[in-house]
Amino acid sequence: MGSRVAGCRRNRRESLALGPERILLTALAAGDLQRGASATLHGYAHDTLHFSYHGAQVRLYLLPESHLIAAADIVRAHPLDMFLSSWGDVRTHVEWAAWTLEPNGIRYPRQWTFDVNGTREHSVLVDAVAFDPGIDASLLDASADTIAAAKRSVRPIADFLSPPPAVWRPHLASL
């Protein structure tokens, strides 16, 4: 169980550090950041950056005109993953597209595509983005009456379980 939890934590940490919101800051913080040779992606030349992050080798593809991030290749082993561990170094290719200029002036990709070892894993389409929307503090407040009512309504889990149907119960009287 401990190794699964560690693997989940690493994946969450990696997803945040290597997501489009933060990947350039992660690259700048890497001690081995370097500019790579121009590379072709979908028939177009892209600038590249290379760096490492917690044992993963990362290659960024930047659009030469705008320097928006077009894609990232992340190559690393997944020793804690039951399926991926047998493949050794796994290449995850993430593409970010449909960049929009949000009302607050931030550019954000609305389409994310994930490939693992050349096979499409999944795609994400972002419908709405809210940057630091602010939360009305009154929405987080609960009155003393509300808290007391919630405490009174707590019931043991057994109250929610129904007994199995009669045909499943052994007939103890006949034993």
Side-chain angles (χ1 to χ4, degrees):
M1 179 72 169
S3 64
R4 270 187 35 210
V5 170
C8 290
R9 283 187 191 134
R10 180 170 74 175
N11 289 340
R12 286 194 311 258
R13 183 182 66 224
E14 187 174 285
S15 293
L16 291 172
L18 301 179
E21 308 89 348
R22 188 157 180 85
I23 196 165
L24 290 175
L25 296 172
T26 301
L28 283 172
D32 59 350
L33 174 64
Q34 54 188 302
R35 185 180 180 142
S38 181
T40 302
L41 181 66
H42 302 301
Y44 295 96
H46 288 71
D47 296 329
T48 63
L49 298 174
H50 301 261
F51 65 96
S52 59
Y53 175 77
H54 293 275
Q57 297 303 311
V58 182
R59 178 184 194 184
L60 294 181
Y61 295 82
L62 304 173
L63 296 168
E65 308 84 31
S66 63
H67 290 109
L68 290 173
I69 310 160
D73 284 332
I74 304 159
V75 179
R76 72 169 178 87
H78 294 262
L80 302 176
D81 186 293
M82 180 85 100
F83 175 74
L84 294 176
S85 63
S86 62
W87 294 98
D89 284 344
V90 175
R91 178 181 175 257
T92 302
H93 179 79
V94 184
E95 292 188 11
W96 295 290
W99 287 83
T100 59
L101 182 60
E102 300 302 324
N104 62 355
I106 294 177
R107 294 190 183 275
Y108 197 78
R110 295 298 188 107
Q111 180 178 345
W112 304 15
T113 306
F114 298 81
D115 296 340
V116 176
N117 281 347
T119 302
R120 177 69 32 93
E121 185 178 77
H122 66 279
S123 295
V124 175
L125 294 174
V126 179
D127 289 341
V129 179
F131 293 92
D132 195 18
I135 298 175
D136 182 3
S138 66
L139 296 174
L140 303 176
D141 290 336
S143 68
D145 293 338
T146 303
I147 293 170
K151 287 180 179 178
R152 283 192 306 272
S153 69
V154 173
R155 296 185 349 207
I157 190 70
D159 290 354
F160 297 96
L161 301 175
S162 30
V167 294
W168 292 358
R169 283 180 264 177
H171 297 283
L172 298 176
S174 63
L175 294 175

